[in-house]
PDB file of all heavy atoms in Angstrom:
ATOM      1  N   ALA A   1      26.536  64.673  -8.445  1.00  0.00           N
ATOM      2  CA  ALA A   1      25.187  65.084  -8.029  1.00  0.00           C
ATOM      3  C   ALA A   1      24.129  64.317  -8.816  1.00  0.00           C
ATOM      4  O   ALA A   1      23.115  63.890  -8.250  1.00  0.00           O
ATOM      5  CB  ALA A   1      25.018  66.578  -8.222  1.00  0.00           C
ATOM      6  N   ALA A   2      24.356  64.117 -10.107  1.00  0.00           N
ATOM      7  CA  ALA A   2      23.398  63.352 -10.928  1.00  0.00           C
ATOM      8  C   ALA A   2      23.317  61.908 -10.439  1.00  0.00           C
ATOM      9  O   ALA A   2      22.229  61.322 -10.374  1.00  0.00           O
ATOM     10  CB  ALA A   2      23.804  63.407 -12.389  1.00  0.00           C
ATOM     11  N   LYS A   3      24.462  61.316 -10.071  1.00  0.00           N
ATOM     12  CA  LYS A   3      24.457  59.941  -9.544  1.00  0.00           C
ATOM     13  C   LYS A   3      23.714  59.871  -8.217  1.00  0.00           C
ATOM     14  O   LYS A   3      22.957  58.924  -7.964  1.00  0.00           O
ATOM     15  CB  LYS A   3      25.895  59.444  -9.351  1.00  0.00           C
ATOM     16  CG  LYS A   3      26.617  59.105 -10.632  1.00  0.00           C
ATOM     17  CD  LYS A   3      28.035  58.634 -10.334  1.00  0.00           C
ATOM     18  CE  LYS A   3      28.834  58.453 -11.590  1.00  0.00           C
ATOM     19  NZ  LYS A   3      30.232  58.086 -11.330  1.00  0.00           N
ATOM     20  N   ASP A   4      23.934  60.862  -7.367  1.00  0.00           N
ATOM     21  CA  ASP A   4      23.230  60.900  -6.075  1.00  0.00           C
ATOM     22  C   ASP A   4      21.718  60.997  -6.269  1.00  0.00           C
ATOM     23  O   ASP A   4      20.945  60.331  -5.573  1.00  0.00           O
ATOM     24  CB  ASP A   4      23.725  62.063  -5.227  1.00  0.00           C
ATOM     25  CG  ASP A   4      25.165  61.875  -4.756  1.00  0.00           C
ATOM     26  OD1 ASP A   4      25.660  60.719  -4.786  1.00  0.00           O
ATOM     27  OD2 ASP A   4      25.786  62.885  -4.353  1.00  0.00           O
ATOM     28  N   ILE A   5      21.306  61.818  -7.207  1.00  0.00           N
ATOM     29  CA  ILE A   5      19.870  61.968  -7.478  1.00  0.00           C
ATOM     30  C   ILE A   5      19.290  60.658  -7.986  1.00  0.00           C
ATOM     31  O   ILE A   5      18.204  60.236  -7.557  1.00  0.00           O
ATOM     32  CB  ILE A   5      19.628  63.121  -8.483  1.00  0.00           C
ATOM     33  CG1 ILE A   5      19.919  64.462  -7.804  1.00  0.00           C
ATOM     34  CG2 ILE A   5      18.199  63.095  -9.019  1.00  0.00           C
ATOM     35  CD1 ILE A   5      19.903  65.638  -8.744  1.00  0.00           C
ATOM     36  N   ASP A   6      19.984  59.995  -8.895  1.00  0.00           N
ATOM     37  CA  ASP A   6      19.504  58.694  -9.402  1.00  0.00           C
ATOM     38  C   ASP A   6      19.420  57.666  -8.285  1.00  0.00           C
ATOM     39  O   ASP A   6      18.474  56.881  -8.222  1.00  0.00           O
ATOM     40  CB  ASP A   6      20.410  58.189 -10.526  1.00  0.00           C
ATOM     41  CG  ASP A   6      20.244  58.981 -11.808  1.00  0.00           C
ATOM     42  OD1 ASP A   6      19.165  59.605 -11.982  1.00  0.00           O
ATOM     43  OD2 ASP A   6      21.186  58.986 -12.632  1.00  0.00           O
ATOM     44  N   GLY A   7      20.403  57.662  -7.387  1.00  0.00           N
ATOM     45  CA  GLY A   7      20.383  56.729  -6.260  1.00  0.00           C
ATOM     46  C   GLY A   7      19.198  56.988  -5.345  1.00  0.00           C
ATOM     47  O   GLY A   7      18.527  56.048  -4.903  1.00  0.00           O
ATOM     48  N   LEU A   8      18.941  58.241  -5.035  1.00  0.00           N
ATOM     49  CA  LEU A   8      17.785  58.583  -4.204  1.00  0.00           C
ATOM     50  C   LEU A   8      16.477  58.200  -4.882  1.00  0.00           C
ATOM     51  O   LEU A   8      15.558  57.686  -4.240  1.00  0.00           O
ATOM     52  CB  LEU A   8      17.789  60.075  -3.883  1.00  0.00           C
ATOM     53  CG  LEU A   8      18.854  60.564  -2.898  1.00  0.00           C
ATOM     54  CD1 LEU A   8      18.851  62.075  -2.826  1.00  0.00           C
ATOM     55  CD2 LEU A   8      18.611  59.966  -1.524  1.00  0.00           C
ATOM     56  N   ARG A   9      16.406  58.439  -6.185  1.00  0.00           N
ATOM     57  CA  ARG A   9      15.192  58.105  -6.924  1.00  0.00           C
ATOM     58  C   ARG A   9      14.925  56.603  -6.876  1.00  0.00           C
ATOM     59  O   ARG A   9      13.798  56.160  -6.658  1.00  0.00           O
ATOM     60  CB  ARG A   9      15.311  58.585  -8.367  1.00  0.00           C
ATOM     61  CG  ARG A   9      14.030  58.410  -9.160  1.00  0.00           C
ATOM     62  CD  ARG A   9      14.159  58.898 -10.587  1.00  0.00           C
ATOM     63  NE  ARG A   9      14.441  60.326 -10.603  1.00  0.00           N
ATOM     64  CZ  ARG A   9      15.263  60.912 -11.472  1.00  0.00           C
ATOM     65  NH1 ARG A   9      15.882  60.205 -12.383  1.00  0.00           N
ATOM     66  NH2 ARG A   9      15.455  62.204 -11.427  1.00  0.00           N
ATOM     67  N   SER A  10      15.959  55.805  -7.064  1.00  0.00           N
ATOM     68  CA  SER A  10      15.764  54.343  -7.045  1.00  0.00           C
ATOM     69  C   SER A  10      15.409  53.863  -5.635  1.00  0.00           C
ATOM     70  O   SER A  10      14.578  52.964  -5.474  1.00  0.00           O
ATOM     71  CB  SER A  10      17.010  53.629  -7.568  1.00  0.00           C
ATOM     72  OG  SER A  10      18.095  53.854  -6.683  1.00  0.00           O
ATOM     73  N   THR A  11      16.020  54.462  -4.616  1.00  0.00           N
ATOM     74  CA  THR A  11      15.690  54.087  -3.231  1.00  0.00           C
ATOM     75  C   THR A  11      14.239  54.409  -2.915  1.00  0.00           C
ATOM     76  O   THR A  11      13.527  53.594  -2.311  1.00  0.00           O
ATOM     77  CB  THR A  11      16.615  54.826  -2.247  1.00  0.00           C
ATOM     78  OG1 THR A  11      17.970  54.539  -2.564  1.00  0.00           O
ATOM     79  CG2 THR A  11      16.330  54.417  -0.819  1.00  0.00           C
ATOM     80  N   LEU A  12      13.797  55.566  -3.310  1.00  0.00           N
ATOM     81  CA  LEU A  12      12.411  55.951  -3.066  1.00  0.00           C
ATOM     82  C   LEU A  12      11.437  55.056  -3.821  1.00  0.00           C
ATOM     83  O   LEU A  12      10.398  54.670  -3.291  1.00  0.00           O
ATOM     84  CB  LEU A  12      12.179  57.412  -3.452  1.00  0.00           C
ATOM     85  CG  LEU A  12      12.763  58.463  -2.515  1.00  0.00           C
ATOM     86  CD1 LEU A  12      12.575  59.845  -3.092  1.00  0.00           C
ATOM     87  CD2 LEU A  12      12.128  58.364  -1.145  1.00  0.00           C
ATOM     88  N   SER A  13      11.759  54.707  -5.041  1.00  0.00           N
ATOM     89  CA  SER A  13      10.825  53.890  -5.820  1.00  0.00           C
ATOM     90  C   SER A  13      10.741  52.465  -5.269  1.00  0.00           C
ATOM     91  O   SER A  13       9.712  51.810  -5.386  1.00  0.00           O
ATOM     92  CB  SER A  13      11.234  53.882  -7.295  1.00  0.00           C
ATOM     93  OG  SER A  13      12.485  53.244  -7.454  1.00  0.00           O
ATOM     94  N   ARG A  14      11.803  51.970  -4.656  1.00  0.00           N
ATOM     95  CA  ARG A  14      11.761  50.623  -4.073  1.00  0.00           C
ATOM     96  C   ARG A  14      10.937  50.590  -2.790  1.00  0.00           C
ATOM     97  O   ARG A  14      10.309  49.586  -2.479  1.00  0.00           O
ATOM     98  CB  ARG A  14      13.184  50.132  -3.761  1.00  0.00           C
ATOM     99  CG  ARG A  14      13.888  49.538  -4.975  1.00  0.00           C
ATOM    100  CD  ARG A  14      15.239  49.001  -4.595  1.00  0.00           C
ATOM    101  NE  ARG A  14      16.106  50.201  -4.489  1.00  0.00           N
ATOM    102  CZ  ARG A  14      17.134  50.320  -3.688  1.00  0.00           C
ATOM    103  NH1 ARG A  14      17.475  49.367  -2.903  1.00  0.00           N
ATOM    104  NH2 ARG A  14      17.848  51.412  -3.661  1.00  0.00           N
ATOM    105  N   ASN A  15      10.937  51.683  -2.024  1.00  0.00           N
ATOM    106  CA  ASN A  15      10.276  51.692  -0.722  1.00  0.00           C
ATOM    107  C   ASN A  15       8.788  52.040  -0.799  1.00  0.00           C
ATOM    108  O   ASN A  15       8.098  51.950   0.204  1.00  0.00           O
ATOM    109  CB  ASN A  15      10.959  52.689   0.214  1.00  0.00           C
ATOM    110  CG  ASN A  15      12.332  52.195   0.637  1.00  0.00           C
ATOM    111  OD1 ASN A  15      12.596  50.995   0.590  1.00  0.00           O
ATOM    112  ND2 ASN A  15      13.198  53.108   1.020  1.00  0.00           N
ATOM    113  N   LEU A  16       8.307  52.414  -1.961  1.00  0.00           N
ATOM    114  CA  LEU A  16       6.893  52.758  -2.089  1.00  0.00           C
ATOM    115  C   LEU A  16       6.063  51.493  -2.279  1.00  0.00           C
ATOM    116  O   LEU A  16       6.387  50.634  -3.088  1.00  0.00           O
ATOM    117  CB  LEU A  16       6.669  53.699  -3.273  1.00  0.00           C
ATOM    118  CG  LEU A  16       7.271  55.087  -3.127  1.00  0.00           C
ATOM    119  CD1 LEU A  16       7.010  55.895  -4.379  1.00  0.00           C
ATOM    120  CD2 LEU A  16       6.675  55.802  -1.943  1.00  0.00           C
ATOM    121  N   ARG A  17       4.977  51.406  -1.541  1.00  0.00           N
ATOM    122  CA  ARG A  17       4.052  50.283  -1.685  1.00  0.00           C
ATOM    123  C   ARG A  17       2.714  50.837  -2.133  1.00  0.00           C
ATOM    124  O   ARG A  17       2.292  51.899  -1.676  1.00  0.00           O
ATOM    125  CB  ARG A  17       3.890  49.565  -0.348  1.00  0.00           C
ATOM    126  CG  ARG A  17       5.168  48.908   0.098  1.00  0.00           C
ATOM    127  CD  ARG A  17       4.923  48.027   1.294  1.00  0.00           C
ATOM    128  NE  ARG A  17       6.162  47.382   1.660  1.00  0.00           N
ATOM    129  CZ  ARG A  17       6.713  47.445   2.846  1.00  0.00           C
ATOM    130  NH1 ARG A  17       6.122  48.109   3.803  1.00  0.00           N
ATOM    131  NH2 ARG A  17       7.844  46.835   3.094  1.00  0.00           N
ATOM    132  N   PRO A  18       2.023  50.120  -2.984  1.00  0.00           N
ATOM    133  CA  PRO A  18       0.723  50.625  -3.415  1.00  0.00           C
ATOM    134  C   PRO A  18      -0.269  50.608  -2.244  1.00  0.00           C
ATOM    135  O   PRO A  18      -0.271  49.693  -1.438  1.00  0.00           O
ATOM    136  CB  PRO A  18       0.301  49.656  -4.524  1.00  0.00           C
ATOM    137  CG  PRO A  18       1.104  48.425  -4.294  1.00  0.00           C
ATOM    138  CD  PRO A  18       2.381  48.859  -3.624  1.00  0.00           C
ATOM    139  N   ALA A  19      -1.073  51.625  -2.192  1.00  0.00           N
ATOM    140  CA  ALA A  19      -2.071  51.708  -1.126  1.00  0.00           C
ATOM    141  C   ALA A  19      -3.253  50.807  -1.459  1.00  0.00           C
ATOM    142  O   ALA A  19      -3.692  50.722  -2.595  1.00  0.00           O
ATOM    143  CB  ALA A  19      -2.541  53.156  -0.982  1.00  0.00           C
ATOM    144  N   SER A  20      -3.730  50.087  -0.448  1.00  0.00           N
ATOM    145  CA  SER A  20      -4.889  49.217  -0.666  1.00  0.00           C
ATOM    146  C   SER A  20      -5.943  49.558   0.374  1.00  0.00           C
ATOM    147  O   SER A  20      -5.634  49.875   1.518  1.00  0.00           O
ATOM    148  CB  SER A  20      -4.483  47.745  -0.551  1.00  0.00           C
ATOM    149  OG  SER A  20      -3.979  47.479   0.732  1.00  0.00           O
ATOM    150  N   LEU A  21      -7.206  49.503  -0.030  1.00  0.00           N
ATOM    151  CA  LEU A  21      -8.312  49.807   0.859  1.00  0.00           C
ATOM    152  C   LEU A  21      -9.051  48.517   1.190  1.00  0.00           C
ATOM    153  O   LEU A  21      -9.297  47.685   0.307  1.00  0.00           O
ATOM    154  CB  LEU A  21      -9.279  50.785   0.196  1.00  0.00           C
ATOM    155  CG  LEU A  21      -8.729  52.180  -0.071  1.00  0.00           C
ATOM    156  CD1 LEU A  21      -9.764  53.001  -0.828  1.00  0.00           C
ATOM    157  CD2 LEU A  21      -8.369  52.872   1.217  1.00  0.00           C
ATOM    158  N   ASP A  22      -9.399  48.374   2.435  1.00  0.00           N
ATOM    159  CA  ASP A  22     -10.199  47.238   2.871  1.00  0.00           C
ATOM    160  C   ASP A  22     -11.654  47.579   2.570  1.00  0.00           C
ATOM    161  O   ASP A  22     -12.219  48.505   3.168  1.00  0.00           O
ATOM    162  CB  ASP A  22      -9.974  46.988   4.366  1.00  0.00           C
ATOM    163  CG  ASP A  22     -10.652  45.727   4.832  1.00  0.00           C
ATOM    164  OD1 ASP A  22     -11.178  44.975   3.984  1.00  0.00           O
ATOM    165  OD2 ASP A  22     -10.663  45.494   6.058  1.00  0.00           O
ATOM    166  N   THR A  23     -12.274  46.860   1.658  1.00  0.00           N
ATOM    167  CA  THR A  23     -13.631  47.197   1.224  1.00  0.00           C
ATOM    168  C   THR A  23     -14.647  47.012   2.346  1.00  0.00           C
ATOM    169  O   THR A  23     -15.624  47.753   2.411  1.00  0.00           O
ATOM    170  CB  THR A  23     -14.039  46.348   0.009  1.00  0.00           C
ATOM    171  OG1 THR A  23     -13.901  44.972   0.337  1.00  0.00           O
ATOM    172  CG2 THR A  23     -13.174  46.674  -1.184  1.00  0.00           C
ATOM    173  N   THR A  24     -14.431  46.036   3.238  1.00  0.00           N
ATOM    174  CA  THR A  24     -15.402  45.844   4.322  1.00  0.00           C
ATOM    175  C   THR A  24     -15.384  47.041   5.277  1.00  0.00           C
ATOM    176  O   THR A  24     -16.436  47.515   5.697  1.00  0.00           O
ATOM    177  CB  THR A  24     -15.104  44.554   5.099  1.00  0.00           C
ATOM    178  OG1 THR A  24     -13.770  44.615   5.611  1.00  0.00           O
ATOM    179  CG2 THR A  24     -15.260  43.332   4.207  1.00  0.00           C
ATOM    180  N   LYS A  25     -14.191  47.554   5.587  1.00  0.00           N
ATOM    181  CA  LYS A  25     -14.098  48.720   6.466  1.00  0.00           C
ATOM    182  C   LYS A  25     -14.684  49.951   5.780  1.00  0.00           C
ATOM    183  O   LYS A  25     -15.330  50.773   6.428  1.00  0.00           O
ATOM    184  CB  LYS A  25     -12.656  48.973   6.882  1.00  0.00           C
ATOM    185  CG  LYS A  25     -12.138  47.951   7.860  1.00  0.00           C
ATOM    186  CD  LYS A  25     -10.789  48.314   8.382  1.00  0.00           C
ATOM    187  CE  LYS A  25     -10.326  47.232   9.380  1.00  0.00           C
ATOM    188  NZ  LYS A  25      -9.059  47.575   9.973  1.00  0.00           N
ATOM    189  N   LEU A  26     -14.467  50.056   4.489  1.00  0.00           N
ATOM    190  CA  LEU A  26     -15.028  51.172   3.746  1.00  0.00           C
ATOM    191  C   LEU A  26     -16.561  51.117   3.763  1.00  0.00           C
ATOM    192  O   LEU A  26     -17.229  52.137   3.974  1.00  0.00           O
ATOM    193  CB  LEU A  26     -14.511  51.161   2.306  1.00  0.00           C
ATOM    194  CG  LEU A  26     -14.944  52.309   1.413  1.00  0.00           C
ATOM    195  CD1 LEU A  26     -14.467  53.634   1.962  1.00  0.00           C
ATOM    196  CD2 LEU A  26     -14.442  52.093   0.009  1.00  0.00           C
ATOM    197  N   ASP A  27     -17.134  49.932   3.582  1.00  0.00           N
ATOM    198  CA  ASP A  27     -18.594  49.775   3.629  1.00  0.00           C
ATOM    199  C   ASP A  27     -19.134  50.100   5.018  1.00  0.00           C
ATOM    200  O   ASP A  27     -20.182  50.742   5.154  1.00  0.00           O
ATOM    201  CB  ASP A  27     -18.995  48.346   3.227  1.00  0.00           C
ATOM    202  CG  ASP A  27     -18.751  48.084   1.744  1.00  0.00           C
ATOM    203  OD1 ASP A  27     -18.707  49.072   0.973  1.00  0.00           O
ATOM    204  OD2 ASP A  27     -18.607  46.905   1.364  1.00  0.00           O
ATOM    205  N   GLN A  28     -18.424  49.649   6.076  1.00  0.00           N
ATOM    206  CA  GLN A  28     -18.855  49.960   7.444  1.00  0.00           C
ATOM    207  C   GLN A  28     -18.847  51.469   7.692  1.00  0.00           C
ATOM    208  O   GLN A  28     -19.768  52.009   8.304  1.00  0.00           O
ATOM    209  CB  GLN A  28     -17.942  49.267   8.464  1.00  0.00           C
ATOM    210  CG  GLN A  28     -18.131  47.772   8.566  1.00  0.00           C
ATOM    211  CD  GLN A  28     -17.100  47.152   9.512  1.00  0.00           C
ATOM    212  OE1 GLN A  28     -16.201  47.828   9.982  1.00  0.00           O
ATOM    213  NE2 GLN A  28     -17.258  45.850   9.755  1.00  0.00           N
ATOM    214  N   CYS A  29     -17.834  52.127   7.207  1.00  0.00           N
ATOM    215  CA  CYS A  29     -17.725  53.573   7.386  1.00  0.00           C
ATOM    216  C   CYS A  29     -18.880  54.281   6.675  1.00  0.00           C
ATOM    217  O   CYS A  29     -19.501  55.191   7.229  1.00  0.00           O
ATOM    218  CB  CYS A  29     -16.382  54.058   6.849  1.00  0.00           C
ATOM    219  SG  CYS A  29     -16.143  55.829   7.025  1.00  0.00           S
ATOM    220  N   LEU A  30     -19.172  53.877   5.454  1.00  0.00           N
ATOM    221  CA  LEU A  30     -20.278  54.488   4.718  1.00  0.00           C
ATOM    222  C   LEU A  30     -21.611  54.237   5.413  1.00  0.00           C
ATOM    223  O   LEU A  30     -22.473  55.123   5.468  1.00  0.00           O
ATOM    224  CB  LEU A  30     -20.315  53.948   3.285  1.00  0.00           C
ATOM    225  CG  LEU A  30     -19.191  54.427   2.366  1.00  0.00           C
ATOM    226  CD1 LEU A  30     -19.256  53.711   1.026  1.00  0.00           C
ATOM    227  CD2 LEU A  30     -19.273  55.925   2.166  1.00  0.00           C
ATOM    228  N   GLU A  31     -21.786  53.049   5.967  1.00  0.00           N
ATOM    229  CA  GLU A  31     -23.026  52.727   6.674  1.00  0.00           C
ATOM    230  C   GLU A  31     -23.171  53.598   7.925  1.00  0.00           C
ATOM    231  O   GLU A  31     -24.244  54.121   8.219  1.00  0.00           O
ATOM    232  CB  GLU A  31     -23.040  51.242   7.058  1.00  0.00           C
ATOM    233  CG  GLU A  31     -24.305  50.801   7.763  1.00  0.00           C
ATOM    234  CD  GLU A  31     -24.239  49.323   8.151  1.00  0.00           C
ATOM    235  OE1 GLU A  31     -23.656  48.536   7.405  1.00  0.00           O
ATOM    236  OE2 GLU A  31     -24.773  49.012   9.223  1.00  0.00           O
ATOM    237  N   GLN A  32     -22.080  53.762   8.671  1.00  0.00           N
ATOM    238  CA  GLN A  32     -22.130  54.600   9.861  1.00  0.00           C
ATOM    239  C   GLN A  32     -22.428  56.060   9.495  1.00  0.00           C
ATOM    240  O   GLN A  32     -23.166  56.741  10.210  1.00  0.00           O
ATOM    241  CB  GLN A  32     -20.814  54.516  10.630  1.00  0.00           C
ATOM    242  CG  GLN A  32     -20.637  53.215  11.371  1.00  0.00           C
ATOM    243  CD  GLN A  32     -19.289  53.164  12.087  1.00  0.00           C
ATOM    244  OE1 GLN A  32     -18.494  54.092  11.985  1.00  0.00           O
ATOM    245  NE2 GLN A  32     -19.049  52.083  12.806  1.00  0.00           N
ATOM    246  N   LEU A  33     -21.870  56.516   8.400  1.00  0.00           N
ATOM    247  CA  LEU A  33     -22.145  57.882   7.985  1.00  0.00           C
ATOM    248  C   LEU A  33     -23.615  58.072   7.633  1.00  0.00           C
ATOM    249  O   LEU A  33     -24.217  59.092   7.958  1.00  0.00           O
ATOM    250  CB  LEU A  33     -21.286  58.259   6.774  1.00  0.00           C
ATOM    251  CG  LEU A  33     -19.854  58.660   7.062  1.00  0.00           C
ATOM    252  CD1 LEU A  33     -19.101  58.894   5.766  1.00  0.00           C
ATOM    253  CD2 LEU A  33     -19.807  59.913   7.914  1.00  0.00           C
ATOM    254  N   SER A  34     -24.205  57.075   6.987  1.00  0.00           N
ATOM    255  CA  SER A  34     -25.597  57.230   6.576  1.00  0.00           C
ATOM    256  C   SER A  34     -26.576  57.039   7.733  1.00  0.00           C
ATOM    257  O   SER A  34     -27.644  57.644   7.746  1.00  0.00           O
ATOM    258  CB  SER A  34     -25.924  56.255   5.446  1.00  0.00           C
ATOM    259  OG  SER A  34     -25.791  54.927   5.909  1.00  0.00           O
ATOM    260  N   THR A  35     -26.239  56.226   8.749  1.00  0.00           N
ATOM    261  CA  THR A  35     -27.188  55.971   9.838  1.00  0.00           C
ATOM    262  C   THR A  35     -26.906  56.798  11.085  1.00  0.00           C
ATOM    263  O   THR A  35     -27.833  57.302  11.708  1.00  0.00           O
ATOM    264  CB  THR A  35     -27.176  54.475  10.222  1.00  0.00           C
ATOM    265  OG1 THR A  35     -25.860  54.120  10.618  1.00  0.00           O
ATOM    266  CG2 THR A  35     -27.642  53.615   9.061  1.00  0.00           C
ATOM    267  N   ALA A  36     -25.661  56.934  11.462  1.00  0.00           N
ATOM    268  CA  ALA A  36     -25.333  57.588  12.732  1.00  0.00           C
ATOM    269  C   ALA A  36     -25.209  59.103  12.605  1.00  0.00           C
ATOM    270  O   ALA A  36     -25.223  59.808  13.597  1.00  0.00           O
ATOM    271  CB  ALA A  36     -24.027  57.018  13.291  1.00  0.00           C
ATOM    272  N   HIS A  37     -25.104  59.598  11.404  1.00  0.00           N
ATOM    273  CA  HIS A  37     -24.939  61.047  11.231  1.00  0.00           C
ATOM    274  C   HIS A  37     -26.284  61.730  11.405  1.00  0.00           C
ATOM    275  O   HIS A  37     -27.240  61.465  10.705  1.00  0.00           O
ATOM    276  CB  HIS A  37     -24.373  61.342   9.837  1.00  0.00           C
ATOM    277  CG  HIS A  37     -24.156  62.789   9.604  1.00  0.00           C
ATOM    278  ND1 HIS A  37     -23.155  63.505  10.208  1.00  0.00           N
ATOM    279  CD2 HIS A  37     -24.830  63.674   8.834  1.00  0.00           C
ATOM    280  CE1 HIS A  37     -23.221  64.754   9.827  1.00  0.00           C
ATOM    281  NE2 HIS A  37     -24.224  64.886   8.986  1.00  0.00           N
ATOM    282  N   LYS A  38     -26.350  62.626  12.366  1.00  0.00           N
ATOM    283  CA  LYS A  38     -27.581  63.362  12.640  1.00  0.00           C
ATOM    284  C   LYS A  38     -27.338  64.842  12.382  1.00  0.00           C
ATOM    285  O   LYS A  38     -26.239  65.343  12.601  1.00  0.00           O
ATOM    286  CB  LYS A  38     -28.003  63.150  14.092  1.00  0.00           C
ATOM    287  CG  LYS A  38     -28.331  61.701  14.382  1.00  0.00           C
ATOM    288  CD  LYS A  38     -28.679  61.497  15.832  1.00  0.00           C
ATOM    289  CE  LYS A  38     -28.954  60.014  16.060  1.00  0.00           C
ATOM    290  NZ  LYS A  38     -28.898  59.631  17.424  1.00  0.00           N
ATOM    291  N   PRO A  39     -28.358  65.528  11.916  1.00  0.00           N
ATOM    292  CA  PRO A  39     -28.173  66.968  11.683  1.00  0.00           C
ATOM    293  C   PRO A  39     -27.842  67.683  12.987  1.00  0.00           C
ATOM    294  O   PRO A  39     -28.317  67.318  14.048  1.00  0.00           O
ATOM    295  CB  PRO A  39     -29.514  67.440  11.121  1.00  0.00           C
ATOM    296  CG  PRO A  39     -30.396  66.250  11.062  1.00  0.00           C
ATOM    297  CD  PRO A  39     -29.665  65.060  11.569  1.00  0.00           C
ATOM    298  N   ARG A  40     -27.057  68.677  12.870  1.00  0.00           N
ATOM    299  CA  ARG A  40     -26.637  69.406  14.062  1.00  0.00           C
ATOM    300  C   ARG A  40     -27.709  70.403  14.458  1.00  0.00           C
ATOM    301  O   ARG A  40     -28.222  71.156  13.633  1.00  0.00           O
ATOM    302  CB  ARG A  40     -25.327  70.125  13.775  1.00  0.00           C
ATOM    303  CG  ARG A  40     -24.227  69.139  13.501  1.00  0.00           C
ATOM    304  CD  ARG A  40     -22.909  69.847  13.352  1.00  0.00           C
ATOM    305  NE  ARG A  40     -21.897  68.847  13.193  1.00  0.00           N
ATOM    306  CZ  ARG A  40     -21.052  68.805  12.182  1.00  0.00           C
ATOM    307  NH1 ARG A  40     -21.100  69.704  11.251  1.00  0.00           N
ATOM    308  NH2 ARG A  40     -20.151  67.862  12.111  1.00  0.00           N
TER     309      ARG A  40
END
């Protein structure tokens, strides 16, 4: 069971990729929120 857990842990750590944000899309989203958002 300990070997199985270690194997799963290593498999999971290999398949994880760091998340990256596209700054241009983030800026566009913030701009739309500030201009297109109207009070309800």
Side-chain angles (χ1 to χ4, degrees):
K3 286 180 187 176
D4 292 342
I5 289 172
D6 288 337
L8 288 172
R9 186 180 298 142
S10 65
T11 303
L12 286 174
S13 65
R14 277 183 282 150
N15 289 338
L16 293 178
R17 294 189 178 124
S20 61
L21 294 176
D22 187 7
T23 56
T24 58
K25 288 187 180 183
L26 183 61
D27 290 337
Q28 287 175 354
C29 180
L30 289 174
E31 182 182 325
Q32 286 178 358
L33 280 175
S34 63
T35 59
H37 181 72
K38 297 177 182 162
R40 296 186 176 125

